[in-house]
Amino acid sequence: MKTQNSLSDLRESLQATADALYKRRACDVPESYIEDYVALDWLKWDGGGLKLTVTGQNICRQATKNPR
């Protein structure tokens, strides 16, 4: 799937994105990242807000287990 941003950039920033969503600060996440995350099924729209999908949660866990 073609994304606007590189997959490595998206993976690296997913945890920060999840933290921003938890703090209800989706405005801090670049719009192109949100579009890519939704297209990759890492985020989904839920009741007017964004939420991590199971896939997104798994990628966050992987990044935590395998830091660079």
Side-chain angles (χ1 to χ4, degrees):
M1 168 171 286
K2 181 72 174 144
T3 58
Q4 296 176 48
N5 303 282
S6 72
L7 285 177
S8 63
D9 287 345
L10 292 169
R11 283 184 207 276
E12 288 176 14
S13 64
L14 184 59
Q15 185 60 55
T17 297
D19 294 342
L21 295 178
Y22 178 76
K23 295 175 186 174
R24 299 187 187 280
R25 298 287 305 172
C27 62
D28 294 341
V29 181
E31 191 173 325
S32 67
Y33 276 43
I34 292 173
E35 291 171 5
D36 288 347
Y37 289 140
V38 171
L40 292 167
D41 193 38
W42 296 3
L43 290 180
K44 67 178 179 179
W45 289 102
D46 184 37
L50 286 166
K51 182 177 175 180
L52 275 175
T53 64
V54 173
T55 303
Q57 291 170 0
N58 289 336
I59 291 170
C60 280
R61 276 193 220 113
Q62 288 172 359
T64 303
K65 289 180 184 178
N66 301 317
R68 291 182 175 202

